[in-house]
């Protein structure tokens, strides 16, 4: 069950009427849904996986497979609540796989819980399975040489309509047990009766809407949706009062969801060695089975269900235990319930019973038209041109590795042309492109780069390293100590320091470098990267600048000393001249005074 499961997204919230979609915010572009989709209905757009509704058969495999829980399907809980408020009678048609979805204690409370939710009638879809099985047996007996595909599975029907239209004629022209049961209930309880199917199946949501299946059920809930709804109402299956289903109690019809169930219900041999009735479950097996029936020469009846192991593997059933454990628990429950119930089954119904006449009156026919929307096959030149864009020029270039989600490079190229896939989904091509870009960056780096293994032996050197250390790429395998001190590398590899960053004087090479060392990779693939930024030129320029600076300072000091000397000389002369002037003036003053005295 995906975290973004049913019930938490409504039609209004997603703003479209698709049954199944991808939550863009959760999709991590891992291609798992592309890989697992049996009909390649997942379209990649801008790194997001989107479901193409016209091609999707609603098998639900991508819902189970998506590791991010990014696939959500339409919840119809609010529609059912609306029906309960407005319809004169709402009947629950519960698929037989409830015996796998719930524990025996929960099964006993199930009818009571459904009545508590507002259902006026709680019946088992297995009654519809018995009606269909009986009609199928009649058809087979009328056409003993026919080749038939008998299926209760709308995903198988949809697969045939869309992808194998030539096999549509082999489909029994009969309704599924779900639709047959709905028609029977509407015949018996009145056409205004709203019927809600509750089961494990996503594809039933689509079947209920298909034109050729009308009239059918009015809504479809998965068991997961029911469980969520019951929880939200504060109800409990275990604590509910034990009660029985209404209407007929089915018997072998409860086996329909498992392989061989149809044959058993229709009264045919279920011996696996019987050549006439074959069973196919799981998408690959169904594909082969459909091809087989269309080409078969001998009479054959193929019972086909798309989910692995049958409907017990449906997406709407909680998958808490293994498929085999689920099947065993289911068969055990069916056996015990059928044995314990001393209630009349459909097979024992007398024609005079009103119920039996409703069965007889219900129209079980459905004519499945082929879906003739063309699936265009691109021409060879176009396929080759697309393959060439991911470096596939010859058949030896086609790895067919499946990493893109497609089985072969050719299939992927066809999907690109159909707009379903993107060129960059080819993982080997993208990795090689990234490697080439990285190689180019490393190769043309202005710094020397050396990559060492755990033993400090050279794994890779770039062009600049070869230039600076006067070596060639053939130095691979040499210990780093051949070129420089290995100690800083040892300290990083032994975890003494996460990163080394220091200036290194390599006088033997006339180099001064800034050396940066760090680890890349993990555990066994751990490597060391050494980057040597050549500072020799800068250091030389710095030294020359130093000399110039010192010379300039010396010169300036000389000039200043000279200036000081000159100033001192001037001061000395000025002092001497001032003294002489003073003595002359003193003498003149004396002479003048003497003359006046006389
Ligand atoms: S539901 Fe099935 S057919 Fe549809 S996209 Fe998912 S895997 Fe494909
Ligand atoms: S196998 Fe059953 S549950 Fe799965 S898609 Fe078919 S009908 Fe639905
Ligand atoms: S080589 Fe690329 S295109 Fe071919 S199968 Fe692998 S991932 Fe897909």
């Amino acid at each position: 069950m995906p975290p973004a499961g049913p019930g938490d997204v409504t039609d209004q919230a997603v703003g479209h009427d698709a049954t199944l979609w991808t939550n863009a915010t959760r999709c991590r572009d891992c291609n798992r849904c592309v890989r697992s989709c049996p009909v390649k209905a997942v379209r990649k757009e801008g790194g997001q996986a989107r479901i193409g509704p016209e091609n999707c058969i609603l098998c639900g495999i991508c819902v189970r497979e998506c590791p991010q829980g990014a696939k959500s399907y339409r919840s119809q809980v609010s529609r059912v609540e609306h029906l309960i408020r407005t319809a004169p009678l709402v009947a629950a048609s519960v698929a037989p796989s409830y015996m796998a979805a719930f524990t025996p204690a929960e099964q006993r409370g199930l009818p009571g819980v459904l009545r508590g939710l507002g259902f006026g009638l709680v019946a088992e879809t297995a009654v519809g399975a018995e009606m269909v099985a009986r009609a199928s047996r009649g058809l087979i007996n009328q056409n003993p040489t026919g080749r038939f595909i008998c299926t209760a599975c709308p995903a198988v029907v949809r697969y045939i309509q869309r992808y194998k239209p030539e096999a549509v004629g082999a489909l029994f022209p009969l309704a599924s047990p779900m639709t047959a049961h709905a028609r029977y209930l509407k015949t018996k309880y009145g056409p205004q009766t709203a019927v809600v199917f509750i089961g494990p199946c996503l594809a039933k949501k689509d079947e209920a809407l298909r034109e050729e299946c009308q009239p059918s059920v009015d809504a479809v809930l998965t068991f997961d949706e029911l469980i969520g709804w019951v929880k939200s109402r504060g109800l409990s299956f275990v604590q509910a009062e034990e009660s029985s289903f209404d209407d007929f109690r089915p018997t072998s019809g409860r086996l329909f969801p498992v392989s061989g169930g149809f044959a058993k219900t229709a009264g045919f041999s279920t011996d696996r060695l019987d050549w006439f009735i074959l069973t196919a479950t799981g998408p690959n097996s169904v594909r082969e089975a459909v091809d087989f029936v269309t080409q078969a020469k001998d009479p054959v009846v193929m019972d086909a269900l798309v989910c692995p192991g049958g409907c017990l593997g449906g997406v709407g059933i909680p998958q808490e235990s293994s498929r085999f454990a689920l099947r065993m628990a289911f068969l055990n429950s069916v056996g015990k319930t059928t044995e314990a119930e001393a209630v009349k089954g459909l097979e024992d119904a007398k024609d005079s019973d009103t119920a039996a006449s409703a069965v007889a009156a219900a129209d079980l026919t459905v004519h499945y038209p082929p879906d003739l929307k063309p699936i265009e096959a691109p021409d060879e030149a176009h396929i080759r041109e697309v393959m060439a864009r991911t470096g596939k020029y010859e058949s030896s270039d086609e790895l067919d590795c499946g990493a893109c989600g497609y089985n072969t490079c050719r299939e992927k190229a066809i999907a690109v042309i159909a707009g379903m896939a993107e060129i960059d989904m080819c993982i080997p091509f993208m990795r090689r492109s990234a490697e080439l870009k990285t190689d180019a960056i490393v190769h043309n780096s202005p710094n020397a780069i050396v990559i060492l293994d755990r033993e400090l032996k050279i794994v890779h050197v770039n062009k600049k390293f070869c230039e600076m250390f006067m070596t060639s790429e053939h130095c691979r395998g040499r210990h780093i100590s051949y070129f420089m001190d290995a100690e800083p590398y040892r300290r990083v590899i032994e975890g003494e320091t996460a990163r080394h960053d220091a200036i290194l004087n390599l006088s033997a090479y006339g180099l001064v470098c800034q050396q940066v060392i760090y680890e890349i990779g993990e555990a066994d693939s751990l490597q060391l990267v050494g980057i040597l930024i050549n500072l020799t030129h800068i250091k030389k320029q710095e030294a020359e600048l130093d000399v110039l600076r010192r010379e300039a300072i010396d010169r300036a000091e000389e000039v200043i000393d000279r200036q000081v000397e000159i100033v001192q000389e001037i001061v000395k002369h000025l002092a001497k001249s001032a003294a002489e002037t003073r003595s002359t003036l003193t003498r003149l003053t004396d002479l003048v005074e003497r003359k006046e005295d006389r």
Side-chain angles (χ1 to χ4, degrees), residues 58-59 152-155 200-204 305-307 310-311 314:
L58 289 168
C59 66
C153 177
C201 184
L202 178 58
K204 293 284 184 202
L305 297 167
V306 91
C307 289
C311 301

Side-chain angles (χ1 to χ4, degrees), residues 20 36-39 41-42 51 55-63 202:
L20 177 67
S36 60
C37 177
V39 292
V42 181
I51 293 166
N55 293 325
C56 172
I57 60 170
L58 289 168
C59 66
I61 288 174
C62 59
V63 180
L202 178 58

Side-chain angles (χ1 to χ4, degrees), residues 392 399-409 412 425-428:
K392 293 160 188 62
L399 304 180
D400 294 344
C401 67
C404 55
Y406 292 85
N407 293 327
T408 63
C409 302
K412 190 252 181 183
M425 285 164 70
C426 177
I427 307 297

Side-chain angles (χ1 to χ4, degrees), residues 46-124:
Q48 291 283 313
R50 298 181 198 284
I51 293 166
E54 68 287 358
N55 293 325
C56 172
I57 60 170
L58 289 168
C59 66
I61 288 174
C62 59
V63 180
R64 262 193 308 265
E65 287 290 321
C66 176
Q68 303 302 325
K71 301 278 188 262
S72 290
Y73 57 85
R74 170 183 301 281
S75 165
Q76 287 201 308
V77 171
S78 50
R79 169 155 174 75
V80 176
E81 286 177 323
H82 173 77
L83 289 171
I84 286 171
R85 282 195 303 275
T86 55
L89 174 66
V90 181
S93 170
V94 184
S97 40
Y98 78 86
M99 292 194 187
F102 299 102
T103 63
E106 290 171 331
Q107 289 169 32
R108 288 191 285 275
L110 176 62
V113 165
L114 290 172
R115 289 188 191 102
L117 288 170
F119 288 94
L121 187 89
V122 181
E124 288 194 62

Side-chain angles (χ1 to χ4, degrees), residues 362-403:
D363 178 11
L364 298 189
T365 53
V366 168
H367 292 285
Y368 299 101
D371 179 349
L372 293 176
K373 251 179 262 130
I375 301 172
E376 280 167 28
D379 62 53
E380 187 59 26
H382 200 172
I383 295 172
R384 295 245 60 96
E385 184 250 314
V386 171
M387 286 214 272
R389 282 162 66 194
T390 51
K392 293 160 188 62
Y393 301 98
E394 297 174 6
S395 56
S396 58
D397 299 326
E398 295 169 32
L399 304 180
D400 294 344
C401 67

